[in-house]
Amino acid sequence: MIMEQAKYTYDELLNQNNELHIQLNEANDTIYAIRTGQVDAFIVQGENGHQLYTLKTADQTYRVFIEKMNEGAVTLNREGLILYSNSRFAAMIGMPLEKVLGLAFERFIPKEYEEKYTEVINNGWEEDYKEELCLLTNNGEIPCLISCNTLELDEGVALSLILTDLTIQKYNEKQLKQKNDQLEVAQNATRKLNDELEDTVKERTNELLISREHFRLLADNIPQMTWTSLPNGQINFYNQQWFEYTGLNFEQTKDWGWKLVLHPDDLPITIEKYNYALANGQIFEVENRYRNGDGIYRWHLNRAIPLKNDAGEIVLWVGTATDIEDQKKEMERKDEFIGIASHELKTPLTSLKGYLQLVASYQKEELPDAVKSYINKANIAINKLQHLVNDLLDVSKIQAGRLEYKLDQIDLADLIYSCVENAAHIYPEILFENDACKTYKVNGNPERLEQVLMNLVNNAVKYSPNSKKVIIKSVRLGNSVRVSVTDFGIGLSNEQIERIFERFYRVEDKKFMASGLGMGLYISTEIINAHDGKIGVESEPGKGATFYFDLPLIV
């Protein structure tokens, strides 16, 4: 024996010992790796070659997934004890993870769910099974979906539970149910409203039919021809008087077919005013001639107003055509009489004025002061009468189309200055403020434009009994110049503004009366129109008025 031991030296034994230590360390590392799941399998060299050994519970990826998932995961044995739990389950029940292992799972089941839990577990051992239960936690109960399936472990078969928190889902379901209940209530209310609306519609439809019949009955029994049109101007209704007068049917005159019976000379002005009214939503008014069934044209006054909805949109135009042929003839006879009377009055007035001048200049003896006073008053009366006669002559000329005069280039500043100077002599108690000193050149007749301006000044003084100030102003507006006369008198209402430029129209106020025939503004309008200009007024009752006229500038 001593001899056999002598075969190995000390160094050799030391090397063998070191090699055994290395092998032992490798074996320990391998065992630790297997225990901690760092390897899924290992190979062993045997008598029959290399053999592969796999580890059932060593799936590292699976372990990471279980730890990171949002659902709770536990593993139970046959006695219902928790063999494994992920951190999510521990967080759900509000306990540290190390205290969960080894506990009976049924302690986390509320009493009212114990019977159902037993059924779930029994079914889970037999097959994959799912059921909703409540889980008892430190913060109360939470609804969960429990999914059961079996697992094979080294120690045997175990039951895996996956627990999905249904709190948010249940809350959403509750909210959805509340919304559904509210929706059902709203639907019931809507059905009720629809039923009521249907009843209302039926009632309103019946009322509308009655109203339409009343409208048609009324429209067919008034003396005027009546029509309605769509917002674009197309006619969609005529009353019976239209068909009886024209001798045509609806198909022949619908839409724009009324032009067939309109006098050709009146067509351009009618179309112009009609399109302007449609575009601006303003009242349509024009005088024109319609041909009747016998081929005779008669004068009519056409007026139409827009009907608007609550949004201010035009939905319909309602118009009438009133026969004014007899009034036209009467006016022509009146104009003829005015013309004759004016000429007849002008001669004796001229003579009377001449005789008064002779009396006033009588030199043989001194006239008494009373006689001189009477002569002055007579001259004033004759001047007023002569002014009225001249207006009547102008009106007769306008109606006959003979109001003609020569146009020359004039400076408005000079003309206005002359008018203001004359007005200051006529009305010394009035302050005339002249803000029209800038030079504006226009083509015009100085006598007629002075007539217009003096008429505006006279009206400003006449209708301002409690004011002593009148402002005359000129200002450029694009390629035109506007001359305005502003007073601080009684003002005008909207109705008066619409009619102020009509012939023989006079403004009357309950507290104020003024003399005149109401022809000055009518004549002024015709004069300004003949100058290719425009005349207008801006006013409010009790706040005075600003009359103005615009004339094209020479540029």
Side-chain angles (χ1 to χ4, degrees):
M1 180 68 70
I2 296 174
M3 292 180 65
E4 290 180 356
Q5 290 177 351
K7 292 180 180 180
Y8 299 99
T9 65
Y10 174 80
D11 292 334
E12 290 175 339
L13 292 173
L14 183 61
N15 289 334
Q16 289 180 2
N17 184 52
N18 292 335
E19 188 173 337
L20 289 174
H21 274 289
I22 292 173
Q23 292 177 358
L24 178 61
N25 290 333
E26 291 178 351
N28 288 333
D29 291 341
T30 301
I31 293 172
Y32 177 77
I34 292 173
R35 285 179 177 176
T36 59
Q38 297 180 27
V39 297
D40 299 331
F42 59 90
I43 300 173
V44 178
Q45 175 68 38
E47 295 179 357
N48 298 322
H50 294 87
Q51 290 185 348
L52 176 66
Y53 291 85
T54 62
L55 303 176
K56 291 183 180 179
T57 61
D59 191 344
Q60 179 68 14
T61 303
Y62 175 75
R63 287 195 186 112
V64 173
F65 173 74
I66 292 296
E67 284 299 324
K68 297 298 182 181
M69 65 190 299
N70 291 325
E71 290 80 7
V74 297
T75 303
L76 307 182
N77 61 10
R78 285 287 182 178
E79 288 73 28
L81 299 178
I82 298 175
L83 304 177
Y84 166 79
S85 168
N86 67 353
S87 57
R88 172 58 182 158
F89 176 74
M92 289 172 64
I93 60 176
M95 292 181 63
L97 179 60
E98 60 272 13
K99 292 186 178 182
V100 174
L101 299 179
L103 296 177
F105 187 81
E106 64 181 359
R107 69 172 289 178
F108 303 111
I109 302 299
K111 288 185 178 181
E112 62 268 25
Y113 287 94
E114 288 179 353
E115 184 176 347
K116 193 173 185 180
Y117 167 72
T118 301
E119 180 184 350
V120 170
I121 295 300
N122 292 337
N123 289 330
W125 283 108
E126 299 296 329
E127 59 181 349
D128 292 350
Y129 192 77
K130 293 182 179 181
E131 186 60 78
E132 289 185 13
L133 291 173
C134 273
L135 197 64
L136 190 61
T137 72
N138 290 338
N139 296 322
E141 297 180 3
I142 59 173
C144 291
L145 174 65
I146 298 181
S147 301
C148 306
N149 60 351
T150 54
L151 293 175
E152 290 187 12
L153 303 177
D154 291 338
E155 296 82 3
V157 179
L159 184 62
S160 173
L161 303 182
I162 303 298
L163 298 102
T164 303
D165 189 342
L166 300 180
T167 302
I168 296 177
Q169 179 180 334
K170 291 297 182 180
Y171 174 79
N172 291 337
E173 288 178 356
K174 182 180 179 181
Q175 292 294 109
L176 181 61
K177 185 177 183 305
Q178 291 179 352
K179 297 299 181 184
N180 287 335
D181 292 341
Q182 294 174 0
L183 179 61
E184 185 176 356
V185 172
Q187 287 176 338
N188 292 333
T190 302
R191 292 191 194 98
K192 182 180 179 181
L193 289 175
N194 284 337
D195 293 340
E196 294 176 354
L197 181 59
E198 288 181 3
D199 294 338
T200 302
V201 169
K202 291 178 181 179
E203 182 180 351
R204 294 292 183 267
T205 302
N206 186 47
E207 292 177 355
L208 179 60
L209 292 174
I210 296 174
S211 297
R212 288 182 60 183
E213 290 303 317
H214 286 171
F215 172 75
R216 186 178 294 276
L217 180 64
L218 176 63
D220 288 341
N221 286 276
I222 61 176
Q224 291 91 350
M225 293 187 293
T226 305
W227 48 269
T228 62
S229 69
L230 301 175
N232 62 3
Q234 293 181 338
I235 304 295
N236 60 355
F237 168 80
Y238 290 108
N239 69 343
Q240 189 61 32
Q241 275 69 22
W242 172 267
F243 303 124
E244 292 177 358
Y245 177 85
T246 62
L248 302 176
N249 58 39
F250 179 75
E251 290 298 322
Q252 293 172 303
T253 55
K254 69 177 183 179
D255 297 336
W256 295 78
W258 49 269
K259 294 189 289 185
L260 296 174
V261 297
L262 189 63
H263 195 288
D265 294 344
D266 301 334
L267 184 59
I269 186 64
T270 301
I271 294 294
E272 178 185 348
K273 290 191 174 184
Y274 192 46
N275 286 332
Y276 181 83
L278 294 176
N280 296 278
Q282 297 183 1
I283 294 176
F284 166 68
E285 182 173 324
V286 69
E287 292 183 3
N288 55 24
R289 288 162 286 184
Y290 288 119
R291 185 183 67 242
N292 62 19
D294 298 328
I296 300 173
Y297 287 95
R298 292 180 64 87
W299 281 99
H300 287 78
L301 172 63
N302 290 266
R303 282 179 59 87
I305 60 173
L307 300 182
K308 301 180 181 180
N309 58 19
D310 293 338
E313 301 169 333
I314 297 175
V315 295
L316 194 70
W317 287 84
V318 178
T320 59
T322 305
D323 191 319
I324 58 172
E325 180 71 20
D326 295 337
Q327 291 91 322
K328 277 280 188 180
K329 290 180 179 179
E330 288 294 329
M331 192 64 69
E332 289 175 1
R333 287 193 289 268
K334 183 188 295 184
D335 291 336
E336 183 179 359
F337 169 77
I338 289 174
I340 295 173
S342 299
H343 281 287
E344 293 297 327
L345 288 171
K346 193 170 185 179
T347 300
L349 278 175
T350 303
S351 299
L352 182 58
K353 192 171 184 179
Y355 287 130
L356 285 173
Q357 289 175 350
L358 290 174
V359 172
S361 61
Y362 187 69
Q363 300 293 331
K364 290 186 178 181
E365 58 183 69
E366 183 71 20
L367 295 175
D369 291 338
V371 174
K372 291 180 180 180
S373 175
Y374 296 150
I375 292 174
N376 289 333
K377 291 181 179 179
N379 277 320
I380 293 174
I382 289 175
N383 287 334
K384 289 183 179 179
L385 184 57
Q386 192 169 30
H387 180 73
L388 293 177
V389 171
N390 289 336
D391 282 350
L392 290 172
L393 283 171
D394 283 343
V395 169
S396 64
K397 289 178 182 179
I398 290 171
Q399 295 303 308
R402 293 185 287 103
L403 188 63
E404 299 175 356
Y405 33 82
K406 182 181 178 182
L407 301 181
D408 294 313
Q409 181 174 315
I410 61 174
D411 185 349
L412 277 179
D414 294 339
L415 184 142
I416 295 172
Y417 178 81
S418 177
C419 289
V420 171
E421 192 175 47
N422 292 336
H425 288 297
I426 298 172
Y427 307 105
E429 73 281 4
I430 302 297
L431 173 62
F432 293 96
E433 183 178 314
N434 185 3
D435 294 335
C437 299
K438 190 172 181 180
T439 297
Y440 292 109
K441 299 288 187 178
V442 299
N443 280 324
N445 182 275
E447 291 78 15
R448 288 298 183 180
L449 290 180
E450 182 178 352
Q451 179 182 350
V452 172
L453 187 54
M454 287 305 298
N455 180 67
L456 299 183
V457 169
N458 291 334
N459 285 342
V461 175
K462 183 191 302 183
Y463 291 100
S464 304
N466 299 321
S467 175
K468 301 299 180 182
K469 183 178 181 180
V470 175
I471 302 173
I472 298 91
K473 183 184 298 184
S474 66
V475 62
R476 180 167 182 165
L477 300 175
N479 293 326
S480 299
V481 57
R482 171 167 293 185
V483 178
S484 62
V485 177
T486 301
D487 65 64
F488 303 91
I490 63 174
L492 299 169
S493 65
N494 291 333
E495 181 181 357
Q496 290 171 331
I497 290 175
E498 291 180 3
R499 301 191 57 194
I500 191 64
F501 299 102
E502 293 179 6
R503 182 167 42 152
F504 302 121
Y505 180 79
R506 294 173 57 207
V507 173
E508 294 184 358
D509 187 90
K510 293 180 179 180
K511 299 180 180 179
F512 179 80
M513 296 293 293
S515 61
L517 294 177
M519 293 184 295
L521 289 176
Y522 170 74
I523 296 171
S524 297
T525 301
E526 295 298 325
I527 293 173
I528 296 301
N529 289 341
H531 283 75
D532 296 325
K534 181 183 72 172
I535 192 168
V537 60
E538 298 173 352
S539 180
E540 291 184 34
K543 295 185 178 180
T546 297
F547 282 85
Y548 63 86
F549 58 87
D550 300 340
L551 297 174
L553 279 170
I554 297 176
V555 293

